[in-house]
Amino acid sequence: MSFMRKVFYISLFILFVSENVKGQALQLSQFYATPTFLNPAFAGSGVCARLNMAYRDQWPSIPGAFKTSVIAFDHAIAKKNMGLGFLFVNDKAGSGGLTSTSFAGQYSYQITYRTWAANFGAEAGYVMRYYDYSKFLFGDQIAYGTATSVSHPVADHIHYFDFASGAVVFTKKTWIGFAAHNLNQPNQSFYGNDSKLPILFSIHAGTKFALNSEKGEFGYDHAKSFITPVINYRHENKFDQLDIGCYYTHLPLSFGIWYR
């Protein structure tokens, strides 16, 4: 085993099992491809039932790469001005197999006024986190070739509930939304001490510019090609992140480019 690989394994252990660990918030580069993952208020915002699937593999050439899978389904109940959604997220990080799996139900309610509308959403989820302690390699094992002196955490798996809410105000071409995740700040420590998950705030907005349009089946203007500039700002604990990007869509294809 090379020296750099040993350092990498030790660093992973410090990052993911330390008592004061603050985990990386899950995110996707093309996050508007899974809108209900971004904000529960988007549940039921589509014209018909919608199924979204996304997969992210970061740094695949190194051991313990970051892998995230998302499956989202939502459906609008127009007669009751409401939407329902389901969200499944699985995330794996590090050579120790740190895995987070969550299931969440979503509900949104829509109010309309003249040319604009607003969706208010809520999300309730159940999260399971676990890791494989036998896969970790500690410093004293490398230095002395003996069993590690590091104490085993209280648990190798934890479970907790997680809640989120959000709102989206939109017209036919423009929208702006706000979401807050981890509202109950669940304790994510494997040691039994206090390690609360910080509240994640996000603000996102976008607008759509049609490049051409034609009359649709019901007489409405329908654009086959359009450009959609969007922005997303996130704040969690002491960290801030801004994503600015643009989509070009020519139905049925869509292309996006982003700067973070």
Side-chain angles (χ1 to χ4, degrees), residues 111-176:
I111 60 174
T112 58
Y113 179 75
R114 295 184 180 179
T115 60
W116 63 270
N119 278 16
F120 300 91
E123 175 183 305
Y126 184 71
V127 183
M128 298 172 288
R129 301 186 77 220
Y130 55 90
Y131 64 93
D132 187 349
Y133 185 80
S134 65
K135 292 183 178 180
F136 287 119
L137 183 65
F138 302 95
D140 49 1
Q141 290 176 288
I142 298 174
Y144 307 112
T146 60
T148 181
S149 59
V150 178
S151 60
H152 194 293
V154 174
D156 56 8
H157 63 277
I158 56 174
H159 310 263
Y160 56 81
F161 290 98
D162 198 4
F163 300 97
S165 65
V168 179
V169 179
F170 58 94
T171 65
K172 289 184 178 180
K173 296 183 178 180
T174 304
W175 69 91
I176 181 170

Short mmCIF file of all heavy atoms in Angstrom, two decimals, residues 111-176:
data_model
loop_
_atom_site.label_atom_id
_atom_site.label_comp_id
_atom_site.label_asym_id
_atom_site.label_seq_id
_atom_site.Cartn_x
_atom_site.Cartn_y
_atom_site.Cartn_z
N ILE A 111 -52.13 28.02 -4.21
CA ILE A 111 -53.11 29.11 -4.29
C ILE A 111 -52.79 29.92 -5.53
O ILE A 111 -51.62 30.08 -5.90
CB ILE A 111 -53.09 30.00 -3.03
CG1 ILE A 111 -51.71 30.64 -2.85
CG2 ILE A 111 -53.48 29.20 -1.80
CD1 ILE A 111 -51.68 31.66 -1.71
N THR A 112 -53.81 30.43 -6.20
CA THR A 112 -53.62 31.20 -7.43
C THR A 112 -54.29 32.56 -7.29
O THR A 112 -55.30 32.72 -6.60
CB THR A 112 -54.22 30.46 -8.63
OG1 THR A 112 -55.62 30.22 -8.39
CG2 THR A 112 -53.51 29.13 -8.85
N TYR A 113 -53.70 33.54 -7.97
CA TYR A 113 -54.26 34.88 -7.98
C TYR A 113 -53.89 35.54 -9.30
O TYR A 113 -52.72 35.83 -9.55
CB TYR A 113 -53.71 35.71 -6.81
CG TYR A 113 -54.24 37.12 -6.77
CD1 TYR A 113 -55.54 37.38 -6.35
CD2 TYR A 113 -53.45 38.18 -7.19
CE1 TYR A 113 -56.03 38.68 -6.31
CE2 TYR A 113 -53.93 39.49 -7.15
CZ TYR A 113 -55.22 39.73 -6.72
OH TYR A 113 -55.71 41.02 -6.70
N ARG A 114 -54.88 35.72 -10.15
CA ARG A 114 -54.68 36.34 -11.46
C ARG A 114 -53.60 35.61 -12.26
O ARG A 114 -53.77 34.47 -12.64
CB ARG A 114 -54.39 37.82 -11.30
CG ARG A 114 -55.57 38.61 -10.71
CD ARG A 114 -55.29 40.09 -10.66
NE ARG A 114 -56.43 40.81 -10.10
CZ ARG A 114 -56.46 42.13 -9.92
NH1 ARG A 114 -55.41 42.88 -10.25
NH2 ARG A 114 -57.54 42.71 -9.42
N THR A 115 -52.46 36.26 -12.48
CA THR A 115 -51.43 35.70 -13.36
C THR A 115 -50.31 34.97 -12.62
O THR A 115 -49.34 34.54 -13.23
CB THR A 115 -50.80 36.80 -14.22
OG1 THR A 115 -50.20 37.78 -13.37
CG2 THR A 115 -51.86 37.45 -15.10
N TRP A 116 -50.43 34.84 -11.30
CA TRP A 116 -49.37 34.14 -10.56
C TRP A 116 -49.97 33.12 -9.60
O TRP A 116 -51.17 33.13 -9.31
CB TRP A 116 -48.48 35.14 -9.80
CG TRP A 116 -49.20 35.93 -8.74
CD1 TRP A 116 -49.83 37.13 -8.90
CD2 TRP A 116 -49.39 35.56 -7.38
NE1 TRP A 116 -50.39 37.55 -7.72
CE2 TRP A 116 -50.12 36.62 -6.77
CE3 TRP A 116 -49.00 34.46 -6.61
CZ2 TRP A 116 -50.48 36.58 -5.42
CZ3 TRP A 116 -49.35 34.42 -5.26
CH2 TRP A 116 -50.08 35.48 -4.68
N ALA A 117 -49.13 32.24 -9.12
CA ALA A 117 -49.56 31.20 -8.19
C ALA A 117 -48.44 30.94 -7.20
O ALA A 117 -47.28 31.31 -7.41
CB ALA A 117 -49.92 29.92 -8.94
N ALA A 118 -48.80 30.30 -6.09
CA ALA A 118 -47.83 29.98 -5.06
C ALA A 118 -48.07 28.57 -4.55
O ALA A 118 -49.22 28.19 -4.30
CB ALA A 118 -47.90 30.98 -3.91
N ASN A 119 -47.01 27.81 -4.42
CA ASN A 119 -47.05 26.47 -3.83
C ASN A 119 -46.37 26.48 -2.47
O ASN A 119 -45.27 27.03 -2.33
CB ASN A 119 -46.33 25.46 -4.73
CG ASN A 119 -47.19 24.97 -5.87
OD1 ASN A 119 -48.21 25.57 -6.18
ND2 ASN A 119 -46.79 23.89 -6.51
N PHE A 120 -47.01 25.87 -1.50
CA PHE A 120 -46.42 25.73 -0.17
C PHE A 120 -46.28 24.23 0.10
O PHE A 120 -47.26 23.48 -0.01
CB PHE A 120 -47.31 26.39 0.89
CG PHE A 120 -47.51 27.86 0.66
CD1 PHE A 120 -48.58 28.32 -0.09
CD2 PHE A 120 -46.61 28.79 1.17
CE1 PHE A 120 -48.77 29.67 -0.32
CE2 PHE A 120 -46.78 30.14 0.96
CZ PHE A 120 -47.85 30.59 0.20
N GLY A 121 -45.07 23.80 0.45
CA GLY A 121 -44.82 22.37 0.59
C GLY A 121 -44.21 21.99 1.91
O GLY A 121 -43.56 22.79 2.59
N ALA A 122 -44.41 20.73 2.27
CA ALA A 122 -43.83 20.16 3.48
C ALA A 122 -43.33 18.76 3.18
O ALA A 122 -43.85 18.07 2.28
CB ALA A 122 -44.85 20.13 4.62
N GLU A 123 -42.31 18.34 3.92
CA GLU A 123 -41.70 17.02 3.70
C GLU A 123 -41.39 16.37 5.04
O GLU A 123 -40.87 17.02 5.95
CB GLU A 123 -40.42 17.18 2.87
CG GLU A 123 -39.63 15.90 2.68
CD GLU A 123 -38.34 16.14 1.90
OE1 GLU A 123 -38.42 16.70 0.79
OE2 GLU A 123 -37.25 15.81 2.43
N ALA A 124 -41.69 15.09 5.14
CA ALA A 124 -41.36 14.30 6.33
C ALA A 124 -40.60 13.08 5.87
O ALA A 124 -41.08 12.33 5.01
CB ALA A 124 -42.62 13.91 7.10
N GLY A 125 -39.40 12.88 6.42
CA GLY A 125 -38.57 11.77 5.98
C GLY A 125 -38.00 10.96 7.12
O GLY A 125 -37.95 11.40 8.27
N TYR A 126 -37.57 9.75 6.77
CA TYR A 126 -36.93 8.84 7.73
C TYR A 126 -35.57 8.48 7.16
O TYR A 126 -35.46 8.02 6.01
CB TYR A 126 -37.79 7.59 7.93
CG TYR A 126 -37.25 6.64 8.97
CD1 TYR A 126 -37.28 6.96 10.32
CD2 TYR A 126 -36.72 5.40 8.59
CE1 TYR A 126 -36.79 6.08 11.27
CE2 TYR A 126 -36.24 4.51 9.53
CZ TYR A 126 -36.27 4.86 10.88
OH TYR A 126 -35.78 3.99 11.82
N VAL A 127 -34.52 8.66 7.95
CA VAL A 127 -33.15 8.50 7.48
C VAL A 127 -32.46 7.38 8.25
O VAL A 127 -32.59 7.28 9.48
CB VAL A 127 -32.34 9.80 7.64
CG1 VAL A 127 -30.93 9.63 7.08
CG2 VAL A 127 -33.05 10.96 6.95
N MET A 128 -31.70 6.55 7.53
CA MET A 128 -30.89 5.49 8.13
C MET A 128 -29.44 5.72 7.69
O MET A 128 -29.16 5.83 6.50
CB MET A 128 -31.38 4.11 7.66
CG MET A 128 -32.81 3.80 8.06
SD MET A 128 -33.43 2.27 7.29
CE MET A 128 -33.63 2.82 5.59
N ARG A 129 -28.53 5.78 8.66
CA ARG A 129 -27.11 5.97 8.37
C ARG A 129 -26.31 4.83 9.02
O ARG A 129 -26.54 4.49 10.17
CB ARG A 129 -26.60 7.32 8.90
CG ARG A 129 -27.33 8.51 8.33
CD ARG A 129 -26.68 9.81 8.79
NE ARG A 129 -25.45 10.07 8.06
CZ ARG A 129 -24.34 10.56 8.59
NH1 ARG A 129 -24.27 10.80 9.89
NH2 ARG A 129 -23.27 10.79 7.84
N TYR A 130 -25.36 4.29 8.29
CA TYR A 130 -24.55 3.20 8.83
C TYR A 130 -23.21 3.16 8.11
O TYR A 130 -23.01 3.82 7.08
CB TYR A 130 -25.28 1.87 8.69
CG TYR A 130 -25.71 1.53 7.29
CD1 TYR A 130 -24.89 0.80 6.42
CD2 TYR A 130 -26.95 1.94 6.81
CE1 TYR A 130 -25.29 0.50 5.13
CE2 TYR A 130 -27.36 1.65 5.52
CZ TYR A 130 -26.52 0.92 4.69
OH TYR A 130 -26.92 0.64 3.41
N TYR A 131 -22.27 2.39 8.65
CA TYR A 131 -20.95 2.23 8.06
C TYR A 131 -20.41 0.87 8.46
O TYR A 131 -20.95 0.19 9.34
CB TYR A 131 -20.00 3.35 8.51
CG TYR A 131 -19.72 3.33 10.00
CD1 TYR A 131 -18.61 2.65 10.50
CD2 TYR A 131 -20.57 3.96 10.90
CE1 TYR A 131 -18.37 2.61 11.86
CE2 TYR A 131 -20.34 3.93 12.25
CZ TYR A 131 -19.23 3.25 12.74
OH TYR A 131 -19.00 3.20 14.08
N ASP A 132 -19.29 0.47 7.83
CA ASP A 132 -18.64 -0.80 8.12
C ASP A 132 -17.33 -0.53 8.86
O ASP A 132 -16.34 -0.14 8.25
CB ASP A 132 -18.39 -1.57 6.82
CG ASP A 132 -17.88 -2.98 7.07
OD1 ASP A 132 -17.51 -3.29 8.23
OD2 ASP A 132 -17.82 -3.76 6.10
N TYR A 133 -17.33 -0.71 10.17
CA TYR A 133 -16.16 -0.40 10.99
C TYR A 133 -14.94 -1.23 10.60
O TYR A 133 -13.80 -0.77 10.70
CB TYR A 133 -16.51 -0.64 12.46
CG TYR A 133 -15.43 -0.24 13.44
CD1 TYR A 133 -15.26 1.09 13.82
CD2 TYR A 133 -14.59 -1.20 13.99
CE1 TYR A 133 -14.28 1.45 14.72
CE2 TYR A 133 -13.60 -0.85 14.90
CZ TYR A 133 -13.45 0.48 15.26
OH TYR A 133 -12.47 0.83 16.16
N SER A 134 -15.17 -2.43 10.10
CA SER A 134 -14.05 -3.33 9.76
C SER A 134 -13.24 -2.83 8.56
O SER A 134 -12.11 -3.28 8.34
CB SER A 134 -14.57 -4.73 9.47
OG SER A 134 -15.40 -4.74 8.31
N LYS A 135 -13.80 -1.90 7.79
CA LYS A 135 -13.10 -1.40 6.60
C LYS A 135 -12.17 -0.24 6.90
O LYS A 135 -11.42 0.19 6.03
CB LYS A 135 -14.12 -0.98 5.53
CG LYS A 135 -14.90 -2.14 4.93
CD LYS A 135 -15.83 -1.66 3.84
CE LYS A 135 -16.57 -2.83 3.21
NZ LYS A 135 -17.49 -2.37 2.13
N PHE A 136 -12.22 0.29 8.11
CA PHE A 136 -11.36 1.43 8.45
C PHE A 136 -9.93 0.97 8.76
O PHE A 136 -9.71 -0.12 9.31
CB PHE A 136 -11.91 2.18 9.67
CG PHE A 136 -13.14 2.98 9.36
CD1 PHE A 136 -14.34 2.72 10.00
CD2 PHE A 136 -13.11 4.01 8.43
CE1 PHE A 136 -15.47 3.45 9.72
CE2 PHE A 136 -14.23 4.74 8.14
CZ PHE A 136 -15.42 4.47 8.79
N LEU A 137 -8.97 1.82 8.40
CA LEU A 137 -7.58 1.58 8.68
C LEU A 137 -7.05 2.76 9.49
O LEU A 137 -7.13 3.90 9.06
CB LEU A 137 -6.78 1.45 7.37
CG LEU A 137 -5.30 1.12 7.51
CD1 LEU A 137 -5.13 -0.27 8.12
CD2 LEU A 137 -4.61 1.18 6.15
N PHE A 138 -6.50 2.47 10.69
CA PHE A 138 -6.10 3.52 11.62
C PHE A 138 -4.58 3.70 11.65
O PHE A 138 -3.82 2.82 11.24
CB PHE A 138 -6.63 3.21 13.02
CG PHE A 138 -8.12 3.06 13.07
CD1 PHE A 138 -8.72 1.80 12.97
CD2 PHE A 138 -8.94 4.17 13.19
CE1 PHE A 138 -10.09 1.66 13.00
CE2 PHE A 138 -10.32 4.04 13.22
CZ PHE A 138 -10.89 2.78 13.13
N GLY A 139 -4.19 4.83 12.17
CA GLY A 139 -2.77 5.20 12.17
C GLY A 139 -1.89 4.22 12.90
O GLY A 139 -0.79 3.88 12.43
N ASP A 140 -2.31 3.72 14.07
CA ASP A 140 -1.46 2.81 14.82
C ASP A 140 -1.36 1.44 14.15
O ASP A 140 -0.39 0.71 14.33
CB ASP A 140 -1.96 2.66 16.27
CG ASP A 140 -3.45 2.37 16.35
OD1 ASP A 140 -4.08 2.28 15.28
OD2 ASP A 140 -3.98 2.27 17.46
N GLN A 141 -2.36 1.07 13.33
CA GLN A 141 -2.26 -0.17 12.58
C GLN A 141 -1.16 -0.07 11.51
O GLN A 141 -0.46 -1.04 11.25
CB GLN A 141 -3.60 -0.48 11.90
CG GLN A 141 -4.71 -0.88 12.86
CD GLN A 141 -6.02 -1.08 12.13
OE1 GLN A 141 -6.64 -0.11 11.69
NE2 GLN A 141 -6.43 -2.33 12.01
N ILE A 142 -1.03 1.12 10.92
CA ILE A 142 0.00 1.33 9.91
C ILE A 142 1.38 1.42 10.56
O ILE A 142 2.35 0.82 10.09
CB ILE A 142 -0.30 2.61 9.11
CG1 ILE A 142 -1.63 2.48 8.37
CG2 ILE A 142 0.82 2.91 8.12
CD1 ILE A 142 -2.07 3.74 7.67
N ALA A 143 1.47 2.15 11.68
CA ALA A 143 2.76 2.41 12.31
C ALA A 143 3.32 1.17 13.01
O ALA A 143 4.53 0.92 12.95
CB ALA A 143 2.63 3.56 13.29
N TYR A 144 2.45 0.40 13.68
CA TYR A 144 2.94 -0.71 14.51
C TYR A 144 2.50 -2.08 14.02
O TYR A 144 2.97 -3.11 14.54
CB TYR A 144 2.46 -0.52 15.96
CG TYR A 144 2.80 0.84 16.52
CD1 TYR A 144 1.79 1.76 16.79
CD2 TYR A 144 4.12 1.22 16.75
CE1 TYR A 144 2.10 3.02 17.30
CE2 TYR A 144 4.43 2.47 17.25
CZ TYR A 144 3.41 3.36 17.53
OH TYR A 144 3.72 4.60 18.02
N GLY A 145 1.59 -2.12 13.07
CA GLY A 145 1.13 -3.41 12.57
C GLY A 145 0.33 -4.19 13.57
O GLY A 145 0.29 -5.42 13.52
N THR A 146 -0.32 -3.50 14.51
CA THR A 146 -1.11 -4.16 15.54
C THR A 146 -2.57 -3.75 15.43
O THR A 146 -2.94 -2.93 14.59
CB THR A 146 -0.58 -3.78 16.94
OG1 THR A 146 -0.68 -2.35 17.10
CG2 THR A 146 0.88 -4.20 17.09
N ALA A 147 -3.37 -4.29 16.32
CA ALA A 147 -4.77 -3.88 16.37
C ALA A 147 -4.87 -2.43 16.80
O ALA A 147 -4.03 -1.93 17.56
CB ALA A 147 -5.55 -4.79 17.33
N THR A 148 -5.90 -1.75 16.36
CA THR A 148 -6.03 -0.33 16.66
C THR A 148 -6.42 -0.09 18.11
O THR A 148 -7.09 -0.92 18.74
CB THR A 148 -7.08 0.32 15.74
OG1 THR A 148 -7.17 1.72 16.07
CG2 THR A 148 -8.43 -0.32 15.92
N SER A 149 -5.98 1.05 18.64
CA SER A 149 -6.35 1.45 20.00
C SER A 149 -7.56 2.39 19.99
O SER A 149 -8.01 2.83 21.04
CB SER A 149 -5.17 2.15 20.67
OG SER A 149 -4.79 3.30 19.93
N VAL A 150 -8.08 2.70 18.81
CA VAL A 150 -9.23 3.60 18.70
C VAL A 150 -10.49 2.88 19.18
O VAL A 150 -10.76 1.75 18.77
CB VAL A 150 -9.42 4.07 17.24
CG1 VAL A 150 -10.65 4.97 17.12
CG2 VAL A 150 -8.17 4.82 16.77
N SER A 151 -11.21 3.51 20.05
CA SER A 151 -12.42 2.89 20.61
C SER A 151 -13.53 2.82 19.56
O SER A 151 -13.68 3.71 18.73
CB SER A 151 -12.91 3.69 21.82
OG SER A 151 -13.24 5.02 21.45
N HIS A 152 -14.27 1.74 19.61
CA HIS A 152 -15.39 1.55 18.70
C HIS A 152 -16.52 2.49 19.10
O HIS A 152 -16.85 2.60 20.28
CB HIS A 152 -15.87 0.10 18.76
CG HIS A 152 -16.77 -0.29 17.64
ND1 HIS A 152 -18.03 0.24 17.46
CD2 HIS A 152 -16.59 -1.16 16.61
CE1 HIS A 152 -18.58 -0.28 16.40
NE2 HIS A 152 -17.73 -1.15 15.85
N PRO A 153 -17.14 3.19 18.12
CA PRO A 153 -18.28 4.05 18.45
C PRO A 153 -19.40 3.28 19.12
O PRO A 153 -19.45 2.04 19.07
CB PRO A 153 -18.70 4.59 17.08
CG PRO A 153 -17.48 4.49 16.23
CD PRO A 153 -16.77 3.25 16.71
N VAL A 154 -20.30 4.00 19.76
CA VAL A 154 -21.42 3.39 20.46
C VAL A 154 -22.27 2.56 19.50
O VAL A 154 -22.76 1.49 19.83
CB VAL A 154 -22.27 4.48 21.15
CG1 VAL A 154 -23.53 3.87 21.77
CG2 VAL A 154 -21.44 5.20 22.20
N ALA A 155 -22.48 3.07 18.27
CA ALA A 155 -23.33 2.37 17.30
C ALA A 155 -22.72 2.49 15.91
O ALA A 155 -22.01 3.45 15.61
CB ALA A 155 -24.74 2.97 17.31
N ASP A 156 -22.98 1.49 15.07
CA ASP A 156 -22.54 1.58 13.69
C ASP A 156 -23.70 1.90 12.75
O ASP A 156 -23.53 1.92 11.53
CB ASP A 156 -21.86 0.29 13.24
CG ASP A 156 -22.74 -0.93 13.43
OD1 ASP A 156 -23.93 -0.76 13.77
OD2 ASP A 156 -22.25 -2.06 13.24
N HIS A 157 -24.88 2.16 13.32
CA HIS A 157 -26.01 2.62 12.52
C HIS A 157 -26.94 3.45 13.39
O HIS A 157 -27.07 3.20 14.60
CB HIS A 157 -26.77 1.44 11.91
CG HIS A 157 -27.39 0.53 12.93
ND1 HIS A 157 -26.69 -0.46 13.57
CD2 HIS A 157 -28.66 0.48 13.45
CE1 HIS A 157 -27.48 -1.09 14.42
NE2 HIS A 157 -28.68 -0.54 14.36
N ILE A 158 -27.53 4.46 12.80
CA ILE A 158 -28.47 5.33 13.51
C ILE A 158 -29.68 5.59 12.62
O ILE A 158 -29.61 5.43 11.40
CB ILE A 158 -27.82 6.68 13.92
CG1 ILE A 158 -27.25 7.39 12.70
CG2 ILE A 158 -26.76 6.48 14.98
CD1 ILE A 158 -26.74 8.78 13.00
N HIS A 159 -30.78 5.98 13.24
CA HIS A 159 -32.01 6.28 12.52
C HIS A 159 -32.57 7.59 13.09
O HIS A 159 -32.48 7.84 14.29
CB HIS A 159 -33.05 5.17 12.69
CG HIS A 159 -32.52 3.80 12.40
ND1 HIS A 159 -32.69 3.18 11.19
CD2 HIS A 159 -31.80 2.93 13.17
CE1 HIS A 159 -32.12 1.98 11.23
NE2 HIS A 159 -31.58 1.81 12.43
N TYR A 160 -33.15 8.40 12.24
CA TYR A 160 -33.80 9.62 12.74
C TYR A 160 -34.80 10.14 11.70
O TYR A 160 -34.74 9.80 10.52
CB TYR A 160 -32.77 10.70 13.07
CG TYR A 160 -31.84 11.09 11.95
CD1 TYR A 160 -32.23 11.98 10.95
CD2 TYR A 160 -30.54 10.57 11.90
CE1 TYR A 160 -31.36 12.36 9.94
CE2 TYR A 160 -29.67 10.93 10.88
CZ TYR A 160 -30.08 11.83 9.91
OH TYR A 160 -29.21 12.19 8.90
N PHE A 161 -35.72 10.97 12.18
CA PHE A 161 -36.68 11.64 11.31
C PHE A 161 -36.10 12.98 10.89
O PHE A 161 -35.35 13.62 11.63
CB PHE A 161 -38.02 11.84 12.02
CG PHE A 161 -38.78 10.56 12.26
CD1 PHE A 161 -38.72 9.93 13.50
CD2 PHE A 161 -39.53 9.99 11.24
CE1 PHE A 161 -39.40 8.74 13.72
CE2 PHE A 161 -40.23 8.80 11.46
CZ PHE A 161 -40.16 8.18 12.70
N ASP A 162 -36.48 13.40 9.69
CA ASP A 162 -35.98 14.67 9.15
C ASP A 162 -37.13 15.38 8.45
O ASP A 162 -37.88 14.75 7.70
CB ASP A 162 -34.83 14.41 8.17
CG ASP A 162 -33.99 15.65 7.93
OD1 ASP A 162 -34.24 16.68 8.58
OD2 ASP A 162 -33.08 15.59 7.09
N PHE A 163 -37.25 16.70 8.68
CA PHE A 163 -38.37 17.46 8.14
C PHE A 163 -37.88 18.65 7.33
O PHE A 163 -36.81 19.22 7.62
CB PHE A 163 -39.30 17.93 9.26
CG PHE A 163 -39.88 16.81 10.07
CD1 PHE A 163 -39.29 16.43 11.28
CD2 PHE A 163 -41.00 16.12 9.64
CE1 PHE A 163 -39.81 15.39 12.03
CE2 PHE A 163 -41.52 15.07 10.38
CZ PHE A 163 -40.93 14.71 11.58
N ALA A 164 -38.67 19.03 6.34
CA ALA A 164 -38.34 20.16 5.48
C ALA A 164 -39.61 20.87 5.06
O ALA A 164 -40.71 20.30 5.11
CB ALA A 164 -37.56 19.70 4.24
N SER A 165 -39.48 22.11 4.63
CA SER A 165 -40.61 22.87 4.10
C SER A 165 -40.11 23.85 3.06
O SER A 165 -38.90 24.13 2.98
CB SER A 165 -41.35 23.61 5.23
OG SER A 165 -40.50 24.60 5.80
N GLY A 166 -41.02 24.39 2.28
CA GLY A 166 -40.61 25.34 1.26
C GLY A 166 -41.80 26.01 0.61
O GLY A 166 -42.96 25.65 0.86
N ALA A 167 -41.52 26.98 -0.23
CA ALA A 167 -42.55 27.72 -0.96
C ALA A 167 -41.98 28.14 -2.31
O ALA A 167 -40.78 28.41 -2.44
CB ALA A 167 -43.03 28.93 -0.16
N VAL A 168 -42.83 28.19 -3.30
CA VAL A 168 -42.46 28.64 -4.64
C VAL A 168 -43.55 29.56 -5.16
O VAL A 168 -44.73 29.21 -5.15
CB VAL A 168 -42.27 27.46 -5.62
CG1 VAL A 168 -41.91 27.98 -7.01
CG2 VAL A 168 -41.22 26.50 -5.12
N VAL A 169 -43.16 30.74 -5.62
CA VAL A 169 -44.08 31.69 -6.27
C VAL A 169 -43.69 31.75 -7.74
O VAL A 169 -42.51 31.90 -8.07
CB VAL A 169 -43.98 33.08 -5.63
CG1 VAL A 169 -44.92 34.06 -6.34
CG2 VAL A 169 -44.31 33.02 -4.14
N PHE A 170 -44.68 31.64 -8.63
CA PHE A 170 -44.34 31.56 -10.04
C PHE A 170 -45.44 32.13 -10.93
O PHE A 170 -46.61 32.22 -10.54
CB PHE A 170 -44.07 30.10 -10.44
CG PHE A 170 -45.21 29.16 -10.18
CD1 PHE A 170 -46.14 28.87 -11.17
CD2 PHE A 170 -45.35 28.55 -8.93
CE1 PHE A 170 -47.18 28.00 -10.92
CE2 PHE A 170 -46.38 27.67 -8.68
CZ PHE A 170 -47.31 27.39 -9.68
N THR A 171 -45.01 32.53 -12.13
CA THR A 171 -45.90 32.91 -13.22
C THR A 171 -45.65 31.92 -14.36
O THR A 171 -44.99 30.90 -14.16
CB THR A 171 -45.62 34.34 -13.68
OG1 THR A 171 -44.31 34.42 -14.24
CG2 THR A 171 -45.73 35.32 -12.51
N LYS A 172 -46.13 32.23 -15.55
CA LYS A 172 -45.92 31.33 -16.68
C LYS A 172 -44.44 31.25 -17.06
O LYS A 172 -44.01 30.25 -17.64
CB LYS A 172 -46.73 31.79 -17.88
CG LYS A 172 -48.24 31.58 -17.73
CD LYS A 172 -48.97 31.98 -19.00
CE LYS A 172 -50.47 31.72 -18.88
NZ LYS A 172 -51.19 32.11 -20.12
N LYS A 173 -43.65 32.30 -16.78
CA LYS A 173 -42.27 32.33 -17.24
C LYS A 173 -41.23 32.43 -16.12
O LYS A 173 -40.06 32.11 -16.34
CB LYS A 173 -42.08 33.51 -18.19
CG LYS A 173 -42.88 33.41 -19.47
CD LYS A 173 -42.58 34.59 -20.39
CE LYS A 173 -43.36 34.47 -21.71
NZ LYS A 173 -43.06 35.62 -22.61
N THR A 174 -41.61 32.87 -14.94
CA THR A 174 -40.63 33.16 -13.89
C THR A 174 -41.05 32.52 -12.58
O THR A 174 -42.25 32.40 -12.29
CB THR A 174 -40.49 34.68 -13.70
OG1 THR A 174 -40.15 35.27 -14.96
CG2 THR A 174 -39.41 35.02 -12.69
N TRP A 175 -40.07 32.11 -11.76
CA TRP A 175 -40.36 31.57 -10.45
C TRP A 175 -39.25 31.93 -9.47
O TRP A 175 -38.11 32.18 -9.86
CB TRP A 175 -40.52 30.04 -10.52
CG TRP A 175 -39.25 29.30 -10.80
CD1 TRP A 175 -38.36 28.80 -9.90
CD2 TRP A 175 -38.70 28.99 -12.08
NE1 TRP A 175 -37.30 28.18 -10.53
CE2 TRP A 175 -37.49 28.29 -11.87
CE3 TRP A 175 -39.13 29.23 -13.39
CZ2 TRP A 175 -36.71 27.84 -12.94
CZ3 TRP A 175 -38.34 28.78 -14.44
CH2 TRP A 175 -37.15 28.09 -14.19
N ILE A 176 -39.61 31.95 -8.21
CA ILE A 176 -38.65 32.12 -7.13
C ILE A 176 -39.11 31.28 -5.96
O ILE A 176 -40.31 31.24 -5.64
CB ILE A 176 -38.48 33.60 -6.73
CG1 ILE A 176 -37.43 33.73 -5.62
CG2 ILE A 176 -39.81 34.23 -6.32
CD1 ILE A 176 -37.04 35.16 -5.32
#
